[in-house]
Amino acid sequence: MSVLVTQQAPDFTSAAVLADGSIVDNFTLSSLKGKKIMLFFYPLDFTFVCPSEILAHHHRVAQFAEKGVEVVGVSIDSQFTHNAWRNTAPKDGGLGKIDFPLVADVNHSIMEAYGIVHPAGVALRASFLIDENFDVRHQVVNDLPLGRNVDDMLRMVDALDFHTTHGEVCPAGWNKGDEGMKGTPEGVAQYLAKNADKL
């Protein structure tokens, strides 16, 4: 597995189903450069944990958009399977309409570039927060039975924005509105003097 944090996000061009339901052959990740991107991988369409995660992302698309973040999902299924899953109602195990692109990684090159291939030949549950400069700033990778907490990715977007705006670092459990910490010995001492018992 690769740790891509601090590195440029691997770019790709692939077929995808867009948020409006149209199918394109040449969706390119770098077309979103200049915005923050939340890129997430999941194993397979028409499976079990995956629709719960995709719907969790879908239900928070507006929150991501408010923070200037584009959401993109990827699996090894074809664009046609993605489309069929979008055209299946949630009560029947599908997604229904979702408000972000699903990319087809049929030849597995994207998950290989991101270093998150499961031994079974599908993608691990991996999420990457990519900044406006196309640098990976955060990643989390789960094994297949372990669903992600999408709210924590929103928290990480807030943390990145706070650091970018204020230059301070975000201590353990930091949430938007909390105090930050100056990245100095004095800063940590001041922060811990007030907050050590609450960590």
Side-chain angles (χ1 to χ4, degrees):
M1 188 177 80
S2 299
V3 175
L4 294 179
V5 174
T6 74
Q7 299 181 41
Q8 283 270 291
D11 196 14
F12 59 80
T13 300
S14 190
V17 182
L18 302 183
D20 65 4
S22 60
I23 297 175
V24 298
D25 293 328
N26 57 351
F27 175 86
T28 302
L29 189 68
S30 59
S31 68
L32 303 175
K33 192 171 184 180
K35 302 178 180 180
K36 293 185 286 290
I37 306 166
M38 209 294 290
L39 177 70
F40 75 97
F41 292 80
Y42 63 94
L44 287 168
D45 295 349
F46 291 102
T47 53
F48 316 113
V49 176
C50 296
S52 70
E53 290 191 317
I54 292 171
L55 289 171
H57 286 89
H58 166 68
H59 292 149
R60 292 160 179 80
V61 162
Q63 293 177 64
F64 280 110
E66 286 169 8
K67 301 173 192 300
V69 182
E70 297 283 338
V71 177
V72 178
V74 184
S75 82
I76 62 172
D77 300 277
S78 74
Q79 63 272 36
F80 306 110
T81 306
H82 288 336
N83 191 49
W85 204 23
R86 284 175 43 103
N87 287 320
T88 303
K91 66 182 179 60
D92 297 319
L95 301 175
K97 181 183 182 303
I98 57 166
D99 293 330
F100 55 84
L102 292 179
V103 175
D105 186 21
V106 176
N107 67 6
H108 301 190
S109 62
I110 304 172
M111 67 174 184
E112 288 170 1
Y114 280 81
I116 44 92
V117 180
H118 185 275
V122 298
L124 291 160
R125 298 189 189 285
S127 301
F128 298 85
L129 176 57
I130 302 166
D131 71 12
E132 295 88 343
N133 298 315
F134 219 57
D135 293 324
V136 178
R137 304 298 298 271
H138 169 68
Q139 75 182 67
V140 61
V141 183
N142 292 359
D143 201 357
L144 303 188
L146 309 176
R148 282 163 281 204
N149 182 337
V150 182
D151 289 325
D152 198 57
M153 183 59 78
L154 286 165
R155 185 181 72 86
M156 295 307 295
V157 174
D158 288 338
L160 177 58
D161 288 346
F162 178 86
H163 171 70
T164 301
T165 301
H166 300 285
E168 295 186 342
V169 296
C170 298
W174 183 93
N175 285 286
K176 188 173 183 177
D178 289 351
E179 178 185 7
M181 179 194 300
K182 289 188 169 51
T184 63
E186 296 78 17
V188 70
Q190 289 171 5
Y191 180 85
L192 293 177
K194 290 190 282 185
N195 297 291
D197 292 341
K198 295 181 276 185
L199 295 173

